[in-house]
Amino acid sequence: NDDLVEELYQLVGQEMVLNGSDVILAPGMNLQRDPLCGRNFEYYSEDPLVAGKMGAAMVRGIQSQHIAASVKHFAVNNKETNRKDSDSRVSERALREIYLRGFEIVVKEADPWTIMSSYNKINGHRASENKEMLTGILREEWGYQGMVTTDWWTRGEHYKETKAGNDIKMGCGYPGRLLEALEKGLISREEMYVCAKRILEMILKLD
């Protein structure tokens, strides 16, 4: 019931406003692939269509109150244990038809202001450093315009995450290492500006 979910999260958004919260770290859009997944209580379904429609309704409800939803964990986060070292091996067809489909529906139907990348690797490449995912698919293919944040205390290198399209590193960044990478020519000032611009644009949307 999309309408009921949207109405519920309008109320959640109102409660957030009363408590001074600007961003809710939800909805969780990965699939319930394993009964032992520690995030199953956050993830909607085994089915990407159901998950996508429910997640989109939640995002619309939250953001109707001029606060942000942060859709997570992008992507293929199928378990809780050892997430920072796990490697999700998946074919491109399965990735697009199953694991990314819910995220795609939310992006195209609800325009979330933020998306959170995941800890895990995807086919050997850290999700938070994955330009193909964060820029190629998310922004260039799906037309996403919002901000991307890392999950908290990732093991990704800050400048590589920035180059990939991860705009902000949580719970804190490493500006000294970013500047060192800039001096070594590993990242450009323009790449850093793009991320800073998206962060500021997200802040300006908040009441």
Side-chain angles (χ1 to χ4, degrees), residues 7 79 81 97 110-113 132 144 177 179 190-191 196:
E7 183 179 352
K79 67 191 189 91
T81 303
E97 292 183 359
D111 188 26
W113 295 354
E132 182 180 358
Y144 179 63
R177 284 159 71 168
L179 290 174
E190 289 71 25
E191 289 170 314

Side-chain angles (χ1 to χ4, degrees), residues 29-33 40 43 45-48 51 78 98-99:
M29 293 305 304
N30 292 288
L31 302 180
Q32 296 179 0
R33 299 291 289 165
N40 278 353
Y43 297 157
S45 174
E46 295 176 86
D47 181 86
N78 292 331
I98 300 173
Y99 295 101

Side-chain angles (χ1 to χ4, degrees), residues 83-85 117-121 124-130 134 150-164 166 168-174 177-178:
R83 286 195 297 159
K84 293 184 179 181
D85 288 316
S117 60
S118 54
Y119 285 129
N120 53 286
K121 298 175 184 176
H125 193 168
R126 289 201 177 277
S128 63
E129 299 176 351
N130 196 320
L134 301 178
T150 69
D151 206 337
W152 268 236
W153 312 112
T154 66
R155 292 182 179 165
E157 177 59 49
H158 194 165
Y159 85 86
K160 291 181 180 179
E161 292 173 334
T162 303
K163 286 177 72 72
N166 235 313
I168 188 168
K169 187 175 182 71
M170 297 299 290
C172 70
Y174 299 99
R177 284 159 71 168
L178 268 182

Side-chain angles (χ1 to χ4, degrees), residues 2 6 10 53 55-64 109-110:
D2 297 14
E6 188 168 342
Q10 288 173 1
K53 291 293 186 179
M58 179 180 173
V59 170
R60 289 193 300 269
I62 290 288
Q63 295 186 169
S64 71
E109 295 189 5

